[in-house]
Amino acid sequence: MSASPSILLPSALRPLSGLSGSGLPAPDFPEVDLPDPLGRIGDLELRLAKKPKDVKKAQKLRYKVFFEEMSAQPNVMARLARRDVDIFDQVCDHLLVRDATPRPGFLKKRTVGTYRLLRQDVAERNFGFYTQGEFDIQPLIARHAHLNFLELGRSCVLAPWRDRRTVELLWHGIWAYVLAHKADVMLGCASLEGSDPAEHQLALSYLHHFHRAPEAWRAEALPERRADIALLDKDQIDPKRALRALPPLIKGYLRLGAMIGDGAVTDRQFGTTDILIVLPRAFINPRYIQYYGAEATRHAA
């Protein structure tokens, strides 16, 4: 659920609204197997990375979006390799959207979109969750020890493909993955561009007052990295104007039913202000489940 410019989810489902209470029973969704490819829309094809060279393609794509298009600052190794790399890449699954349409100046089967997925059992055997470097999520996980968490991150799409089709295919893949691995809660960091929270006081204050998770689902930014997001009083906020100020990715998560953690973290390397997204599967807007299919069949290959 990381920095991802202009990522959209399907609209025409439900206006954004306040959150309902916690403690909903987990729905009995059917489990599905993961086909290969995971899905198709026209010449776009969705797969999970299988080989190191597939992961390198995701890393190159992330470098192009985060470091060349956005304001992230690469270290020496990243600049030389022209890849966005960290230790989590070796233990995560990587969703890849590839385009088989011949385009002038682009290779056939070019990787044009990616998402990184980290299951709780894998995180616990290795380095933990990436999100733990910014938010104190362990008490949240402990409160829901009977549930299975899945971290989403490092999402990006190349500009020429940054449209509804590509993003729908990525979310089709996430939903299929959630079902196959029986994930109960999705979480991760989502970003607003710029490392000064004051630049986003309307959007951040709106998130704090209207979409902050109830205590049972709340996690706080690490004290040493925390930035306050309650920069305006609730009665100072125009919700419609605040929504227009939010990145499309965050608006998409809210439409799905996501909640926001407490506080934000400024990421100097990536030049972003990060918030925590928490989305229990039981809270997902039923219209999205209907849209993608209860067994993730909408864009199945």
Side-chain angles (χ1 to χ4, degrees):
M1 294 186 179
S2 55
S4 186
S6 300
I7 283 191
L8 300 169
L9 287 169
S11 55
L13 293 176
R14 181 175 76 172
L16 296 176
S17 61
L19 294 165
S20 60
S22 62
L24 296 179
D28 185 22
F29 291 119
E31 182 182 0
V32 298
D33 294 325
L34 287 172
D36 183 30
L38 279 167
R40 284 196 183 95
I41 301 179
D43 287 330
L44 295 180
E45 179 182 86
L46 180 71
R47 292 180 180 272
L48 280 170
K50 291 185 175 181
K51 302 176 181 178
K53 69 177 183 179
D54 296 330
V55 177
K56 287 182 179 179
K57 290 176 182 178
Q59 293 167 340
K60 288 179 179 179
L61 168 59
R62 286 162 18 194
Y63 185 93
K64 187 171 185 64
V65 173
F66 298 149
F67 295 103
E68 294 182 357
E69 179 181 341
M70 300 175 69
S71 56
Q73 299 298 314
N75 58 30
V76 174
M77 294 302 296
R79 188 180 294 111
L80 289 173
R82 305 193 70 76
R83 291 188 284 129
D84 169 45
V85 181
D86 69 20
I87 62 171
F88 293 91
D89 282 330
Q90 60 188 294
V91 298
C92 289
D93 282 325
H94 301 261
L95 285 174
L96 306 175
V97 175
R98 300 190 297 180
D99 188 0
T101 306
R103 295 193 186 206
F106 292 101
L107 296 174
K108 190 176 182 180
K109 292 272 186 176
R110 180 180 179 88
T111 299
V112 300
T114 187
Y115 241 108
R116 191 168 77 175
L117 311 176
L118 179 56
R119 303 194 306 274
Q120 183 176 352
D121 61 321
V122 177
E124 290 174 347
R125 291 196 305 269
N126 292 280
F127 319 114
F129 285 118
Y130 176 91
T131 306
Q132 289 174 266
E134 298 192 0
F135 290 87
D136 184 14
I137 61 173
Q138 198 55 47
L140 166 64
I141 294 172
R143 286 196 297 271
H144 302 281
H146 61 295
L147 298 179
N148 183 22
F149 283 71
L150 172 68
E151 182 181 70
L152 310 181
R154 283 299 201 271
S155 59
C156 62
V157 175
L158 281 179
W161 288 267
R162 205 168 288 155
D163 56 27
R164 177 171 175 164
R165 291 194 322 154
T166 308
V167 177
E168 279 200 8
L169 202 52
L170 283 167
W171 271 96
H172 165 86
I174 291 171
W175 181 232
Y177 192 93
V178 163
L179 293 173
H181 292 285
K182 299 182 179 180
D184 300 301
V185 184
M186 290 168 275
L187 57 71
C189 296
S191 304
L192 295 88
E193 193 162 6
S195 54
D196 181 2
E199 295 177 359
H200 301 286
Q201 64 174 356
L202 177 60
L204 291 172
S205 299
Y206 167 78
L207 291 171
H208 173 82
H209 290 298
F210 289 87
H211 293 283
R212 188 170 62 148
E215 189 171 347
W217 291 103
R218 194 176 304 165
E220 297 186 1
L222 295 176
E224 64 274 19
R225 303 193 65 184
R226 178 187 174 86
D228 187 21
I229 63 173
L231 303 175
L232 299 173
D233 293 335
K234 189 173 183 178
D235 58 8
Q236 294 178 281
I237 297 170
D238 178 348
K240 290 184 179 179
R241 192 161 68 90
L243 282 170
R244 289 195 295 269
L246 283 172
L249 176 62
I250 295 177
K251 284 191 284 190
Y253 287 138
L254 296 180
R255 289 191 181 100
L256 276 170
M259 303 170 281
I260 307 301
D262 199 357
V265 169
T266 55
D267 187 327
R268 301 295 178 184
Q269 182 191 8
F270 279 84
T272 58
T273 299
D274 298 342
I275 60 170
L276 177 67
I277 300 289
V278 181
L279 177 57
R281 195 171 76 173
F283 286 21
I284 295 176
N285 184 335
R287 294 191 182 186
Y288 281 93
I289 296 172
Q290 182 179 12
Y291 185 84
Y292 285 102
E295 297 183 5
T297 54
R298 181 173 182 84
H299 300 303

